[in-house]
Amino acid sequence: HFESCGTVERVTIVCDKFTGRPKGFAYLEFQTDEAVANALRLDGSTFKERQLKVTPKRVNDPNYYAQQGGGYGGRGRGGYRGGFRGG
């Protein structure tokens, strides 16, 4: 489906660590920025009867957004991250 965008360097299919089953999304790494731009145009397209959501990479560096002059000043959004809460 993404071969028309450009050369795909790597595909990572995210799986549940307990069951080993795919979670339903994957990460693709392309060789060029142009290929990324082409892939973003496939947002909303259909692959094997499923609608795709294609988004650019999220950067996992807390200082990245601070360098861009916006964001949260290098801080995350906070909030509840999971775990058991009950009694």
Side-chain angles (χ1 to χ4, degrees), residues 1-8 30 32 34-42:
H1 192 77
F2 289 93
E3 61 197 19
S4 63
C5 300
T7 303
V8 177
F30 292 91
T32 65
E34 182 181 352
V36 172
N38 291 335
L40 290 172
R41 291 188 192 107
L42 293 176

Side-chain angles (χ1 to χ4, degrees), residues 6-86:
T7 303
V8 177
E9 290 286 313
R10 179 179 10 194
V11 176
T12 303
I13 299 173
V14 182
C15 296
D16 182 277
K17 65 182 177 180
F18 298 109
T19 66
R21 296 185 64 183
K23 288 188 171 185
F25 63 96
Y27 297 101
L28 280 76
E29 184 177 323
F30 292 91
Q31 194 171 49
T32 65
D33 290 337
E34 182 181 352
V36 172
N38 291 335
L40 290 172
R41 291 188 192 107
L42 293 176
D43 185 34
S45 65
T46 303
F47 178 72
K48 294 192 176 185
E49 299 181 8
R50 297 193 62 170
Q51 187 174 15
L52 297 180
K53 179 179 179 184
V54 182
T55 59
K57 175 184 175 184
R58 282 184 39 207
V59 177
N60 200 20
D61 177 5
N63 297 318
Y64 176 81
Y65 295 103
Q67 294 169 359
Q68 301 298 313
Y72 295 91
R75 305 274 308 169
R77 294 183 190 163
Y80 179 64
R81 292 195 174 266
F84 180 70
R85 287 186 173 194

